[in-house]
């Protein structure tokens, strides 16, 4: 397997995984505007034919690491990210219920995620 390169494109709201220069997976996300802030994982996708290589897990792991570097929690609204967080509690601290509720409201009102 070629090396996976993960890059944050904050302007697009995408954390993208590249292999040999091509996007092979991504997390679509947004930033919670309300204090204390959070990174909200909305959708994780791996391109057809790229499944089973650990790409989605690598993306979610990096997403949590990115949030940690920024000092904000992750709200995993994406089912894959939520399952990953349950399996890796040491790497995926839970956001407060208030933060989760604020994130859900923000995503509901965001036309990009309808």
């Amino acid at each position: 397997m070629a090396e996976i390169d993960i890059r944050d494109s904050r302007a697009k709201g995408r954390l993208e995984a590249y292999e040999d220069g091509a996007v092979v997976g991504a997390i679509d996300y947004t930033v919670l505007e309300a204090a204390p802030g959070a990174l909200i994982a909305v959708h994780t996708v791996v391109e057809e034919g790229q499944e089973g290589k650990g790409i989605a897990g690598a993306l979610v792991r990096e997403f949590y690491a990115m949030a940690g570097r920024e000092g904000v929690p992750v709200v995993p609204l994406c089912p894959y990210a939520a399952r990953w967080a349950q399996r890796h509690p040491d790497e995926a601290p839970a956001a407060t219920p208030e933060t989760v509720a604020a994130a859900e409201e923000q995503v509901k009102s965001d036309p990009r995620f309808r």
Side-chain angles (χ1 to χ4, degrees):
M1 179 172 101
E3 175 107 9
I4 299 295
D5 178 29
I6 298 177
R7 304 178 206 161
D8 181 28
S9 181
R10 183 68 52 107
K12 292 192 304 185
R14 282 176 64 89
L15 185 66
E16 298 172 317
Y18 288 82
E19 184 179 58
D20 297 327
V23 175
V24 292
I27 293 176
D28 291 319
Y29 74 93
T30 191
V31 177
L32 179 63
E33 297 163 3
L39 295 181
I40 308 166
V42 181
H43 183 64
T44 303
V45 65
V46 173
E47 297 300 320
E48 191 173 323
Q50 300 298 321
E51 303 92 344
K53 294 182 176 182
I55 295 167
L59 280 163
V60 176
R61 178 172 275 119
E62 176 55 26
F63 194 69
Y64 271 91
M66 189 170 75
R69 290 190 296 273
E70 294 179 23
V72 298
V74 167
V75 178
L77 298 183
C78 159
Y80 179 86
R83 284 190 308 275
W84 187 93
Q86 288 174 341
R87 289 191 313 267
H88 300 88
D90 54 321
E91 295 179 68
T96 66
E98 296 81 14
T99 301
V100 172
E104 289 171 340
E105 282 302 310
Q106 182 175 310
V107 167
K108 262 196 269 187
S109 67
D110 189 328
R112 293 178 299 157
F113 303 118
R114 289 196 182 134

